Amino acid sequence: MNNSLTALLAETLLSRHPGDAERQNAREGAKDYFACLFPVLYGSVVDSGLEPVIRVFPALHSKENLALQLGYISHALDFDDYHPAFRGHPTTVVLSTLLALSKASPTVSIDAFLDAYVVGVELAGRLGKAIGTRHYSAGFHSTATLGTIAAAGAACRLLNLSAHTTQVALGLAATQASGLRSQFGSAAKPLHAGLSARSAVNSVQLAQAGFGGQPDGVLESFLQILGFDAAQPEQLLAGWGSPWRIIAPGLEFKRYPTCGGTHSAAEAAFVLRQQLEERGQGGIAQAIDRIEVSFPPGADTAPNIIAPKNGVEARFSLEYVIADALINGSVALENYTEAPVKADIAELAARVSRHPDPTAPADELDPDRRFHHVTLFLHDGSQLSHRVTRQETAAAFTDVEAKLRNSLSALPALLAQGVFNDAQLGSDAALHRLISLLSK
């Protein structure tokens, strides 16, 4: 019996069975995925990167290019779900891979599809634990790196490959994994998701074709080298599915189309805006002299753009998101498109300064204890402060069905209702009708 980590993982991926609760959570994840994908797919939100992606990677007769397109489109708004242990967006890579493969396999059942998705989320979360906290802080984009392996594992489950073929596919995925956080704020960030999905499909296709990749040792090497002495490979399998990670901690669905590392700052700003209104302040921006935001050291590694030039960069700017939340009482998609930043928001954002809190544990050591503490220094000499933790933000309800309906609002009513109904994934036919809409 082969007791290598890769062999044990392959056996686990293929043999453990999710239940009805896991499948229902997977349906919620799929609805959120489509809510993020359709505005870009149907052009209700303009994305200038889409045309070059389609031109360079045409999807006609190409499963791998379809996976790339779907990964790009579903991550283009940075509005898709997040998994805390993974420190990234698992669904964009996993579902893009599974949908592309299912398009070429019209007999794929809804249960097999959902089970593969659950397995992919499980593997994503466990890879995040196994790689440790330094992988992300060193500058790697987990959606791209770990997502490639998670999606390949999900694909092996969907296609019911042999254990040996699965081992080879996992190793091929690991050797192709790449993606740097330095691309955040550009179209290359969603391209990471697309390239990862394409690599996952390619890995499975090569393994199925008998390509001679190493069946053992590659995944182990990946964790050791890119874990930067913080890897915990035993976390990859310990307690697998007990509970499934799509149940606990579960997927976190975004309420705002910005980097998840800005959300608790936005919610702190909402509270402060209400306090200003209750005090009878006139113009919000006019009442504020300056703003400080504090957080654990290193907690601003993802939202690291201080002075964004356009809405895509603004998604990764603590300053801009705080200013937007204060001025408008919302963080709406219209302010995070490719258009130039709004002058009034940018002017207030320039008054925001960052102050890492040296008394808090470093984000690398305990990302679950992340917070944002926002303080307003007012022109009348008074101060207002509020703190919101990442756990509080994650625990708040996100209405995924409303998010999906809103994303379909630009479509003809009959088509929108049909897509909404099929996105509930209640049958094999619904799944395949959705897939038929996805190719550009």
Side-chain angles (χ1 to χ4, degrees), residues 82-433:
Y82 177 85
H83 196 280
F86 183 58
R87 297 207 72 173
H89 308 263
T91 294
T92 181
V93 184
V94 172
L95 277 191
S96 296
T97 299
L98 297 179
L99 287 164
L101 290 170
S102 296
K103 182 177 178 65
S105 303
T107 59
V108 168
S109 72
I110 188 63
D111 285 350
F113 181 86
L114 293 172
D115 286 357
Y117 175 28
V118 172
V119 165
V121 171
E122 181 77 8
L123 180 52
R126 292 192 163 275
L127 284 165
K129 286 287 190 182
I131 199 79
T133 57
R134 293 179 185 168
H135 180 74
Y136 188 86
S137 63
F140 288 98
H141 182 197
S142 300
T143 303
T145 54
L146 309 183
T148 304
I149 303 167
C156 292
R157 172 60 179 253
L158 180 75
L159 300 174
N160 195 29
L161 302 186
S162 70
H164 177 79
T165 303
T166 297
Q167 288 176 238
V168 173
L170 290 170
L172 291 173
T175 206
Q176 295 180 80
S178 63
L180 300 175
R181 283 194 294 104
S182 53
Q183 286 286 6
F184 284 14
S186 78
K189 183 177 190 283
L191 182 62
H192 284 170
L195 292 170
S196 296
R198 185 181 71 160
S199 293
V201 171
N202 287 153
S203 298
V204 171
Q205 289 176 318
L206 284 167
Q208 282 183 297
F211 186 82
Q214 290 286 3
D216 294 304
V218 183
L219 185 56
E220 292 87 334
S221 176
F222 176 87
L223 294 174
Q224 179 184 4
I225 294 169
L226 295 182
F228 299 100
D229 298 320
Q232 303 175 68
E234 69 279 1
Q235 294 287 334
L236 194 61
L237 294 171
W240 181 281
S242 301
W244 289 89
R245 290 184 176 268
I246 205 164
I247 297 287
L251 296 169
E252 296 178 8
F253 301 120
K254 285 188 171 185
R255 293 180 293 284
Y256 321 114
T258 62
C259 172
T262 68
H263 288 197
S264 56
E267 291 175 349
F270 294 153
V271 173
L272 294 172
R273 184 180 195 273
Q274 182 177 354
Q275 291 177 5
L276 283 172
E277 290 178 335
E278 290 171 353
R279 290 171 51 151
Q281 299 286 163
I284 297 293
Q286 291 72 28
I288 298 170
D289 178 51
R290 62 187 178 88
I291 304 165
E292 291 185 357
V293 55
S294 62
F295 41 80
D300 61 340
T301 53
N304 63 347
I305 296 177
I306 293 173
K309 302 180 192 66
N310 56 52
V312 175
E313 291 184 355
R315 298 170 189 169
F316 302 92
S317 172
L318 269 177
E319 293 79 4
Y320 194 86
V321 171
I322 290 169
D324 185 16
L326 286 167
I327 291 173
N328 296 307
S330 65
V331 177
L333 181 58
E334 65 193 41
N335 290 334
Y336 298 92
T337 67
E338 295 181 348
V341 294
K342 302 289 180 65
D344 60 335
I345 301 175
E347 193 280 326
L348 182 58
R351 294 182 238 163
V352 179
S353 59
R354 305 186 187 202
H355 298 269
D357 183 350
T359 68
D363 192 63
E364 176 186 309
L365 299 177
D366 194 353
D368 285 340
R369 294 181 65 182
R370 189 181 309 152
F371 63 83
H372 285 104
H373 189 96
V374 180
T375 301
L376 308 184
F377 294 84
L378 305 182
H379 284 299
D380 65 10
S382 62
Q383 299 177 21
L384 294 174
S385 293
H386 193 72
R387 175 180 298 212
V388 175
T389 66
R390 201 202 75 79
Q391 290 97 327
E392 290 171 322
T393 298
F397 174 69
T398 300
D399 190 337
V400 172
E401 293 218 341
K403 186 174 174 180
L404 176 60
R405 283 198 183 278
N406 185 59
S407 78
L408 297 171
S409 60
L411 300 181
L414 193 60
L415 174 60
Q417 188 59 50
V419 172
F420 181 86
N421 292 341
D422 283 344
Q424 310 303 312
L425 294 183
S427 67
D428 298 355
L431 170 65
H432 289 284
R433 280 195 298 269

